[in-house]
Amino acid sequence: MKIAVVVIGFFVFVSCANKQGQEKYHVFHEEKWNTDSIVAISLSKVDTNSSYNMVLKVRHNTDYEYQNLFLFVDFQDKIDTIEVMLSEKSGRWIGRGFGDIKEQEILFRDQVLFSAEKQNKLFFEQAMRYGDRKSINELKGIIAIGIGVNQNDK
């Protein structure tokens, strides 16, 4: 009985602590990301008077063939190229997870202010290249891409 109370208390604490943030994911059902597929994630319910930190989240499986993932990210009319390191040179996966599924998180932007007039949407495009190829048409092993948004302390 005591364990059940502790577990329920933990979940209540975690759910209350996360009221100032949100996470949204786009799932690739076939676990591959085509080069012509642009992912859009809309953010909602943000306080335009507060600043936020945005964390990019990449979920992949261990069949992913590369050490990193390059992305073009378009947010608030600014396009960034981001490299997400997914494994060490030795092949050891960097992210957290169980079994053959791993998730890597990196701080994408900090102290972000959202607009009440504009739609708060992010666009992601995979930008992987290999050798003399201009693109990798099917990037296999990518399960999901997401964004975590957490309000900064006041």
Side-chain angles (χ1 to χ4, degrees), residues 84-124:
V84 181
M85 295 304 297
L86 300 177
S87 77
E88 297 173 350
K89 286 188 179 192
S90 66
R92 183 180 162 272
W93 296 108
I94 297 172
R96 292 179 283 161
F98 297 102
D100 65 343
I101 298 176
K102 304 295 179 193
E103 184 169 281
Q104 178 66 316
E105 300 180 355
I106 64 164
L107 181 63
F108 167 57
R109 289 208 183 145
D110 62 348
Q111 304 296 319
V112 175
L113 296 172
F114 289 97
S115 171
E117 292 82 33
K118 292 183 181 180
Q119 186 177 20
N120 295 303
K121 188 180 269 191
L122 292 103
F123 298 93
F124 298 95

Side-chain angles (χ1 to χ4, degrees), residues 2 8 10 28 31 40 50 91 95-96 101 117-118 131 138 143 154:
K2 290 181 182 181
I8 291 171
F10 173 77
F28 299 98
E31 296 184 2
S50 297
R96 292 179 283 161
I101 298 176
E117 292 82 33
K118 292 183 181 180
E138 286 187 349
I143 297 171
K154 293 183 177 186

Side-chain angles (χ1 to χ4, degrees), residues 15-93:
S15 66
C16 291
N18 197 27
K19 287 191 187 267
Q20 300 300 326
Q22 62 180 297
E23 287 184 350
K24 296 223 175 159
Y25 286 89
H26 172 84
V27 176
F28 299 98
H29 296 288
E30 296 180 20
E31 296 184 2
K32 63 183 176 183
W33 191 352
N34 294 323
T35 192
D36 61 351
S37 175
I38 297 175
V39 172
I41 297 178
S42 295
L43 300 173
S44 58
K45 301 177 184 174
V46 289
D47 180 359
T48 57
N49 295 318
S50 297
S51 67
Y52 293 82
N53 290 336
M54 298 176 69
V55 177
L56 177 65
K57 300 175 180 235
V58 176
R59 193 173 295 153
H60 64 94
N61 63 35
T62 55
D63 292 333
Y64 186 74
E65 298 177 7
Y66 305 98
Q67 181 180 0
N68 58 1
L69 172 65
F70 280 96
L71 301 169
F72 297 133
V73 182
D74 183 350
F75 178 65
Q76 293 181 337
D77 299 325
K78 182 179 178 193
I79 299 175
D80 291 316
T81 303
I82 297 175
E83 180 182 19
V84 181
M85 295 304 297
L86 300 177
S87 77
E88 297 173 350
K89 286 188 179 192
S90 66
R92 183 180 162 272
W93 296 108

